[in-house]
Amino acid sequence: MIALLCAAAVLLLGACGTETAGGGGGTRPSAATEPLPWTTAQPSAVTGARLGDDRRTLFLETRVPSGPHPCVRDLKAVLTDPMTHLARVQITFTSPSGDRSSGCTEERTATVKVTLPEPLGDRDVIVDHYTRFTADGAEPPALRLCGELGCTPPATGCTTASYEQALMAVGAPDHTYRNAEKCDGKWLVLDFSWRTGPACGGSADPACSSRLGDRYFFRAKKSGWDPIFRTSAGGCQDIQRREPAFPTSLCASLEPLSPSLHPSHPPATATP
């Protein structure tokens, strides 16, 4: 009798060990075994486009996640609006790459196609709102990828559009404005500045009108203004030491930049 009672007690204790908090039998799966969520995403870049022989099938090269396990499903391209003077396309896929534990931490090139309702003709293609391709100046069947300055960048010269290209070439901050420019079509020196400090809405507080600035020298190239030197000094000495061909007529009258526009930050003196 005693042996039977002990055996029953062991069975009861074993059954209690399988209960989990909150009721219900069995063990709860750990977070590590739960499946990773697959979410809808867009490619990090669209790098190429070409037309098929029918001039209606558009092949797009994209960058998508990659790793040791499957990282992309349902890659597709669709026309988002009726074709007018443009063809607007959106590319999507699903991926677990939002969770780095998926291993999808690299990228690879993938090609996706969309069939247009009619031949593309001379229309440009805009993919995912910001990447633009054009047939103008391209070698068929490829389309040409347009840059930050659009599909027809401004000619290098002494024009407002060309000065804007020069600012982009040196990575000038947003909302930069030009203070002065000296240009002869082959060489350019450009002074520019940008606001700093709080957004004060036109307040008279001096802190609200503080700004920084810079001066760059450029050489004209086929691709646009190419930065060759940066300095806060006046005159020609610094630039002609770097580029002797830079014309004196464009730099002789330059004043040094104000220290408030182009401050220096020497290393702090070591303390005992």
Side-chain angles (χ1 to χ4, degrees), residues 58-144:
L58 183 63
F59 297 90
L60 298 164
E61 293 183 1
T62 71
R63 300 292 295 168
V64 297
S66 177
H69 306 293
C71 291
V72 174
R73 295 177 185 162
D74 303 321
L75 176 63
K76 62 182 179 180
V78 296
L79 194 68
T80 59
D81 296 298
M83 285 173 50
T84 54
H85 64 291
L86 294 169
R88 296 183 180 274
V89 177
Q90 184 179 57
I91 300 174
T92 58
F93 57 85
T94 59
S95 175
S97 59
D99 189 328
R100 292 186 65 83
S101 66
S102 67
C104 301
T105 57
E106 303 295 328
E107 282 196 322
R108 65 178 176 86
T109 298
T111 301
V112 62
K113 72 176 181 178
V114 58
T115 301
L116 306 176
E118 59 183 272
L120 181 65
D122 59 359
R123 299 175 179 91
D124 286 354
V125 176
I126 295 181
V127 185
D128 297 337
H129 303 294
Y130 51 84
T131 304
R132 188 165 185 146
F133 295 90
T134 183
D136 184 29
E139 185 175 341
L143 301 180
R144 180 168 60 87

